[in-house]
Amino acid sequence: MAKKLWGGRFKKEIDIDFFEFQKSIQYDYRLALYDVTHSQIHILALKDAGILTPKEEKKLHFALQEIYTEIKENKFKPNLQSEDIHTEIQNRVEKKVGKLADKLHTLRSRNDQIAFDEKFYCRKQSLEIEKLILEVIKSFLELSRRYIGFSIVGYTHTQRAQKVDFKDYLGSFVCIFERDRKRCDDFSNKIVASLGSGAFKGTILTKHYDNALQGIIKKLALDETIKLQTVENPLEHVSDRDFIVEFLSILSILQMHLSRFAEDMILFSTQEFNFVDLPEEFCTGSSLMPHKKNPDFLELVRGYTGRIYGNLMALLTIMKGLPLTYNRDMQLDKEPLFSSVDIIKDELKILARFIKGIKLNEKVIEKALEDESLYTVDLAEYLVKEKKIPFAQAHEIIGKVIRYAEDNKCKIKDMEDSLLNTFSAHLNHKIIKEIFG
Ligand code: ARG
């Protein structure tokens, strides 16, 4: 077990099973970069508040910078015997600068650190997800350009409805994913990380610290992914996980859209529809049935919806009824958050390439477009526009024509004028041919 950040008041050693049960290093090591950033800003504020000398600040700065570089270069291997990432960074600094590291923990609590780390993480991830959504949108546009002027069968209730431009079908996904992109954009713009709340109410040093921090925020050339302010209300700061609930909600809506697109493609690629040919490199076969080409990517996207919604539900449930302020329950926010972010990013990355590989089975679609029922609205509207018949009456007339064709297993196109006239004096073979193409 690595050195802990607490222990003075305890007589007994922590139970080893309980230690394992409560530690979070095995997943919160992923916040290392954000946690070091917290420390880097923190020491500047401590210096300007007169708590660290410039020399001490410099020493700590170099130690933190070394750790920062290690993380950036993917060389950071956390000690899994540490309680959490905050303890791990503190211990590493101590190894580098000795007892001076104790000063790093002035006006400091992990409750404050974790709130900062997670806000910073969410903002960065939201920006990255936004970029990935943009790539997906570009792929939809590219696919659309490949099939300019091509129409497909449109559905409501999964029943044939009307002929629709493929460009408009894909355009609907462009609009949908653009909304998701905008939601990420709005979210990342409003996330502002803070530091200096201490455990939950600041300390007598807070005033000096906040003043110092105000000046630092103005001067600091911060990474574009981080926005910073002093803590408005420290109790609220350590209690708040709304931003994660909101981020997981945004990701859930995005996932719902991904699963709807996946379902359309699964359906359209069945032998029954056979409208699209899916890119083989994103499908797998069967170990038993040699002919199979299964849409696994799409099925997994559809399936992961359970995980993404579950992660949101998990956090909502963890936060429900929690007394103010920080409670250890909140440590359990990380796995759902990381899980949703990882899944969504993987899905979007693959989807952008998947879409580009989609091919339409044009012949099959053209054959399906011969279905006369797809043009009944056009026929009714001909009566409305050219013959000034009220739409409801036109709807009734065409409904009867369809019914007759169905009952007699004939095509409307093949009906004689004398038959058509029994439904309406305004209908004739020539008009039908013109509208049905
Ligand atoms: N690992 C904790 C979390 O993720 C950090 C805060 C712990 N605070 C404490 N007093 N034990 O929420």
Side-chain angles (χ1 to χ4, degrees):
M1 198 182 308
K3 188 176 168 196
K4 299 191 293 293
L5 291 176
W6 49 273
R9 60 97 67 216
F10 286 84
K11 275 203 209 123
K12 286 191 179 170
E13 255 310 313
I14 190 167
D15 179 274
I16 190 73
D17 289 338
F18 171 56
F19 176 76
E20 287 297 315
F21 176 74
Q22 58 98 44
K23 71 179 194 180
S24 53
I25 187 71
Q26 65 279 20
Y27 46 82
D28 69 13
Y29 73 91
R30 293 178 53 164
L31 297 172
L33 197 76
Y34 311 95
D35 208 64
V36 172
T37 305
H38 183 285
S39 292
Q40 286 173 323
I41 301 166
H42 185 63
I43 55 169
L44 285 176
L46 290 180
K47 182 189 71 175
D48 289 358
I51 295 155
L52 287 175
T53 65
K55 234 173 128 186
E56 288 172 331
E57 189 277 328
K58 215 174 200 159
K59 243 179 137 180
L60 286 167
H61 171 80
F62 283 124
L64 288 164
Q65 199 51 43
E66 276 175 21
I67 303 172
Y68 188 90
T69 309
E70 245 182 79
I71 302 167
K72 273 273 180 199
E73 291 173 353
N74 278 331
K75 290 183 189 142
F76 180 80
K77 296 265 170 305
N79 174 3
L80 293 177
Q81 285 312 305
S82 293
E83 189 170 328
D84 54 32
I85 188 60
H86 323 296
T87 312
E88 172 70 6
I89 303 290
Q90 174 75 26
N91 289 347
R92 280 181 183 236
V93 173
E94 190 177 323
K95 270 199 200 112
K96 290 180 192 287
V97 301
K99 282 287 151 216
L100 173 62
D102 289 348
K103 289 203 175 179
L104 177 60
H105 215 72
T106 317
L107 180 52
R108 201 167 212 208
S109 160
R110 289 174 288 172
N111 303 354
D112 181 64
Q113 288 173 264
I114 194 66
F116 171 94
D117 294 358
E118 291 188 313
K119 280 203 176 132
F120 188 6
Y121 170 86
C122 284
R123 177 165 153 79
K124 199 165 155 58
Q125 295 306 322
S126 177
L127 288 167
E128 282 179 24
I129 289 172
E130 198 191 327
K131 282 197 193 119
L132 292 171
I133 297 175
L134 208 59
E135 289 308 308
V136 167
I137 291 176
K138 281 190 203 154
S139 295
F140 276 122
L141 294 173
E142 189 185 309
L143 180 61
S144 183
R145 277 193 296 274
R146 257 189 15 233
Y147 289 100
I148 286 173
F150 195 76
S151 298
I152 60 165
V153 180
Y155 293 83
T156 65
H157 311 264
T158 334
Q159 302 289 321
R160 282 184 180 175
Q162 286 179 278
K163 175 169 140 174
V164 67
D165 287 348
F166 189 49
K167 157 176 88 45
D168 291 338
Y169 170 78
L170 293 179
S172 69
F173 285 107
V174 170
C175 293
I176 286 167
F177 287 110
E178 174 53 25
R179 282 204 301 271
D180 289 314
R181 191 201 61 74
K182 180 82 175 42
R183 259 188 285 272
C184 286
D185 191 44
D186 291 345
F187 173 75
S188 51
N189 279 331
K190 78 177 174 207
I191 285 271
V192 184
S194 316
L195 66 162
S197 59
F200 80 105
K201 61 152 285 186
T203 71
I204 50 168
L205 300 174
T206 302
K207 216 167 162 238
H208 305 289
Y209 183 92
D210 276 359
N211 284 340
L213 193 58
Q214 300 264 14
I216 290 163
I217 292 170
K218 281 195 203 116
K219 278 190 274 166
L220 213 59
L222 288 169
D223 181 321
E224 51 119 25
T225 54
I226 174 171
K227 279 207 220 162
L228 208 59
Q229 68 182 26
T230 51
V231 172
E232 214 177 297
N233 178 314
L235 286 83
E236 182 276 337
H237 182 237
V238 299
S239 307
D240 175 30
R241 292 296 181 271
D242 289 8
F243 61 100
I244 306 184
V245 173
E246 192 176 342
F247 194 25
L248 292 181
S249 307
I250 291 169
L251 298 186
S252 295
I253 298 173
L254 168 57
Q255 177 65 28
M256 170 180 74
H257 296 147
L258 292 171
S259 82
R260 291 188 72 174
F261 175 70
E263 177 58 18
D264 259 13
M265 290 303 112
I266 291 170
L267 209 59
F268 290 165
S269 66
T270 58
Q271 282 70 47
E272 285 65 26
F273 276 82
N274 197 21
F275 288 170
V276 301
D277 195 10
L278 301 175
E280 216 171 78
E281 61 276 32
F282 299 106
C283 296
T284 69
S286 157
S287 56
L288 194 146
M289 299 166 281
H291 67 283
K292 290 299 287 292
K293 173 181 156 192
N294 296 326
D296 301 52
F297 170 63
L298 300 167
E299 289 173 301
L300 286 167
V301 168
R302 192 175 56 183
Y304 267 127
T305 312
R307 196 78 66 82
I308 302 277
Y309 289 5
N311 289 337
L312 171 63
M313 286 307 138
L315 187 61
L316 282 169
T317 314
I318 289 165
M319 296 306 291
K320 176 197 167 293
L322 274 193
L324 243 52
T325 56
Y326 176 81
N327 296 273
R328 193 68 185 275
D329 316 42
M330 290 154 76
Q331 173 169 297
L332 305 180
D333 61 357
K334 274 163 254 353
E335 284 164 302
L337 171 63
F338 296 158
S339 152
S340 286
V341 167
D342 291 348
I343 294 167
I344 288 277
K345 284 169 88 175
D346 284 348
E347 287 175 338
L348 292 171
K349 255 181 236 162
I350 301 172
L351 184 61
R353 287 187 283 131
F354 183 94
I355 294 166
K356 288 183 192 164
I358 291 172
K359 287 198 184 79
L360 293 185
N361 291 331
E362 292 166 74
K363 292 264 166 319
V364 180
I365 296 172
E366 275 158 7
K367 184 96 194 92
L369 287 174
E370 287 173 13
D371 181 345
E372 293 184 328
S373 65
L374 297 167
Y375 309 96
T376 55
V377 177
D378 305 337
L379 198 50
E381 284 190 341
Y382 159 79
L383 295 178
V384 170
K385 194 158 175 285
E386 303 298 330
K387 306 295 171 192
K388 307 294 172 230
I389 296 178
F391 182 79
Q393 286 172 29
H395 186 283
E396 180 79 14
I397 294 167
I398 305 304
K400 289 203 165 103
V401 176
I402 296 279
R403 184 63 203 246
Y404 181 93
E406 249 179 57
D407 288 349
N408 293 280
K409 311 227 172 327
C410 68
K411 289 198 148 206
I412 303 175
K413 253 192 207 170
D414 298 336
M415 289 184 188
E416 308 261 330
D417 285 355
S418 56
L419 175 58
L420 287 166
N421 285 165
T422 62
F423 300 104
S424 165
H426 302 299
L427 288 177
N428 60 58
H429 184 70
K430 193 167 152 261
I431 291 301
I432 305 272
K433 266 200 90 181
E434 249 171 52
I435 293 173
F436 286 8

